[in-house]
Amino acid sequence: RVEPMHAAPHPATPHPGHEVFFEVGLLVILSVIALAVGQWLHKNNIYWFPESAATILIGFLCALLESFTEAGREEKAYERKEYFDPLFFNLFLLPPIIFESGYSLNMKVFFSNIFTINVFAVLGTLISTSVTWLLLSTLTALPVREAGSFAALISAVDPVATLATFGALRVDHKLNTLVFGESVLNDAVSLIIFSTILHAPANFSLASLPSVGLDFIGTFCLSFAYGTLIALVAVLIFRTLGLAKHGHTPITEVLIFWALSYLSFVLPEVPHLAAIVACLFCGIFMRLYALPNLSNEAAKHLDFMLKTISTLADTLIFLLVGLALVLYLPHTDMKLSGITIISCLLGRALNVFPLAAVCNLFRAEPIKIQEQGVMWHAGLRGAIAVALAVQVPGPWRDTIAASTMTTVLFTTFVLGGSTKFLLDTLQIPVGVEAILDVESNIMHPALERLSKKWL
């Protein structure tokens, strides 16, 4: 019997979209498991196994089980692109984390340490990148351009495990702010360096460094201006609409606030600026100047919403890192991975200790040597490094991505898991009482008067 030319598919044949629904559903289930496990670890004060490490392990075990199935082996090349899609990461997962990082900063402590934080974030990242670049280009087979891109992306620190332990133990506010403030600004600096090297001319060499430096400064300043401008537009909108005066539309206030915060990340990407810088400073300035123009109920809902979305995005990122491990680890070059880890530790040491000595010359309260040790130890690598690694073009991409993931595993499990032990060994004060985030008197008096008058 001749079948019709346009016969309907066999009922047993699954619809192509069903696979997507299944994968999304699986990701949701894994997120619930990861959050539950993290809560259990926190409840039982288990500090040697960080929540981020547990989330990576859950994703890895799931991907490992799938790799043993026939479908998993057949779709391996396709999944490599889907497990950690940079576009999905940049559009949906990174923006809420970066904005919430700037929004939730303790402004009083942050601005009182702003000079030190900038020194570590800018000069420190340049030192770490330079040291790692030099070692990678001389001790490995990586070309100069690829070695520079790898050095820049692997210098992006992500001390999620360390900060989680800090929060649970209530570590000294100054140390917590130094580590947290440096990490969020460091990501922005690393991203700018990475993008600058990646878009440099094909005949790139060490002689091109001056032009790279100028591009870096220009990108940073323009990105900062973008974020500040969007924050000022937000202030103007809320003041013009006057929604806080009657307080009947808190949901509308929150939605407008969130939409403007998202614009601070996507708009700078159009002219190829550093979205992380713009989004971070937009979060800082919207907290200072736009938040007071919201009703009390909207402000309360906004805090909860931003923290919830940020936590979910953080969980999804580490799950995706674990899922991608199965696909990239077969490309691991043990020599390159070992040199990368040593370079990160050495670059971090040459960054923290000399710069701390310089900063202590200008600080009323010096950074103690024990605190410097904790800052060195807090140089964990995370999802931002992985997201940049899979964007490296050329034949070295899989090898660089595999070495990046190896470094992320080492720093998360070894350094993150030993944070509590280090704090006890160095006798760092814990159990410190929370201080009120007073948003007055955090800047120079002249700037304070100007902001009160116009913003």
Side-chain angles (χ1 to χ4, degrees), residues 120 124 127-128 182 346-358 367 371-377:
F120 282 116
I127 291 174
S128 297
E182 182 220 347
L346 179 60
R348 184 75 178 169
L350 295 177
N351 156 7
V352 170
F353 296 107
L355 292 181
V358 173
I367 306 173
E371 295 171 334
Q372 297 175 33
V374 175
M375 292 178 66
W376 169 80
H377 185 271

Side-chain angles (χ1 to χ4, degrees), residues 249-262:
T249 55
I251 295 178
T252 303
E253 296 175 60
V254 171
L255 287 176
I256 294 175
F257 195 101
W258 176 84
L260 292 170
S261 72
Y262 189 70

Side-chain angles (χ1 to χ4, degrees), residues 21-34 59 62 83 88 93 312 315-317 319-320 323:
F21 286 108
F22 172 77
E23 291 176 352
V24 172
L26 180 62
L27 198 58
V28 171
I29 294 174
L30 293 178
S31 300
V32 173
I33 295 174
C62 178
Y83 273 173
F88 176 73
L93 299 182
L312 176 61
T315 303
L316 289 173
I317 285 174
L319 276 177
L320 294 174
L323 290 169

Side-chain angles (χ1 to χ4, degrees), residues 9 23 55 62 69-71 94 113 155 162 191 209 223 241 261 311 356 399 442 445:
E23 291 176 352
T55 306
C62 178
T69 65
E70 182 178 355
L94 193 55
N113 292 279
S155 296
T162 301
L191 178 61
L209 287 180
S223 303
L241 295 178
S261 72
T311 301
T399 304
I442 59 176

Side-chain angles (χ1 to χ4, degrees), residues 206-221:
L206 295 180
S208 306
L209 287 180
S211 62
V212 170
L214 292 176
D215 289 342
F216 166 80
I217 295 173
T219 302
F220 187 92
C221 293

Side-chain angles (χ1 to χ4, degrees), residues 71-387:
R73 289 191 296 269
E74 290 177 353
E75 297 176 356
K76 200 168 185 179
Y78 171 76
E79 291 172 351
R80 179 179 291 114
K81 299 178 181 178
E82 295 298 323
Y83 273 173
F84 211 98
D85 182 15
L87 183 61
F88 176 73
F89 176 83
N90 287 323
L91 275 180
F92 301 109
L93 299 182
L94 193 55
I97 295 175
I98 298 301
F99 184 84
E100 200 274 335
S101 297
Y103 179 86
S104 63
L105 278 175
N106 187 302
M107 300 299 172
K108 186 177 180 65
V109 181
F110 177 77
F111 279 102
S112 64
N113 292 279
I114 187 66
F115 171 76
T116 305
I117 290 173
N118 276 290
V119 168
F120 282 116
V122 179
L123 294 181
T125 305
L126 290 174
I127 291 174
S128 297
T129 303
S130 301
V131 171
T132 306
W133 192 350
L134 178 63
L135 293 176
L136 290 176
S137 59
T138 55
L139 300 179
T140 70
L142 287 176
V144 174
R145 187 192 187 97
E146 282 73 9
S149 301
F150 189 20
L153 68 90
I154 206 62
S155 296
V157 298
D158 188 12
V160 172
T162 301
L163 291 170
T165 304
F166 280 7
L169 298 176
R170 289 184 296 170
V171 174
D172 176 65
H173 303 292
K174 179 190 71 176
L175 180 59
N176 195 352
T177 302
L178 287 176
V179 173
F180 180 67
E182 182 220 347
S183 68
V184 292
L185 290 179
N186 157 274
D187 291 341
V189 175
S190 298
L191 178 61
I192 294 175
I193 298 174
F194 174 80
S195 300
T196 304
I197 296 176
L198 207 60
H199 296 98
N203 57 350
F204 178 83
S205 64
L206 295 180
S208 306
L209 287 180
S211 62
V212 170
L214 292 176
D215 289 342
F216 166 80
I217 295 173
T219 302
F220 187 92
C221 293
L222 288 175
S223 303
F224 173 83
Y226 252 82
T228 305
L229 179 62
I230 293 175
L232 294 177
V233 170
V235 175
L236 180 63
I237 290 175
F238 283 113
R239 284 204 166 188
T240 302
L241 295 178
L243 297 177
K245 293 181 180 179
H246 49 79
H248 298 319
T249 55
I251 295 178
T252 303
E253 296 175 60
V254 171
L255 287 176
I256 294 175
F257 195 101
W258 176 84
L260 292 170
S261 72
Y262 189 70
L263 282 179
S264 70
F265 195 95
V266 296
L267 285 185
E269 287 288 349
V270 177
H272 303 291
L273 297 177
I276 290 181
V277 176
C279 190
L280 174 68
F281 283 100
C282 183
I284 292 175
F285 290 120
M286 284 184 71
R287 167 70 179 274
L288 284 173
Y289 303 121
L291 184 63
N293 294 284
L294 269 63
S295 63
N296 292 333
E297 187 176 358
K300 180 178 66 175
H301 292 324
L302 181 65
D303 289 344
F304 181 79
M305 185 198 73
L306 291 177
K307 189 62 180 177
T308 301
I309 297 177
S310 174
T311 301
L312 176 61
D314 223 15
T315 303
L316 289 173
I317 285 174
F318 282 105
L319 276 177
L320 294 174
V321 170
L323 290 169
L325 277 174
V326 175
L327 303 172
Y328 284 102
L329 284 184
H331 299 277
T332 302
D333 183 330
M334 296 307 299
K335 177 183 176 182
L336 178 61
S337 299
I339 293 175
T340 302
I341 293 173
I342 294 173
S343 300
C344 289
L345 296 176
L346 179 60
R348 184 75 178 169
L350 295 177
N351 156 7
V352 170
F353 296 107
L355 292 181
V358 173
C359 291
N360 283 341
L361 298 176
F362 305 96
R363 289 179 59 90
E365 183 183 359
I367 306 173
K368 300 176 183 178
I369 188 65
Q370 295 94 331
E371 295 171 334
Q372 297 175 33
V374 175
M375 292 178 66
W376 169 80
H377 185 271
L380 280 66
R381 270 59 176 179
I384 291 181
V386 176

Side-chain angles (χ1 to χ4, degrees), residues 386-423:
V386 176
L388 294 178
V390 297
Q391 297 181 54
V392 175
W396 289 94
R397 188 193 66 173
D398 289 349
T399 304
I400 289 176
S403 297
T404 301
M405 292 184 181
T406 304
T407 306
V408 170
L409 289 177
F410 174 83
T411 57
T412 301
F413 282 85
V414 178
L415 298 183
S418 59
T419 300
K420 176 65 166 58
F421 172 78
L422 183 70
L423 293 174

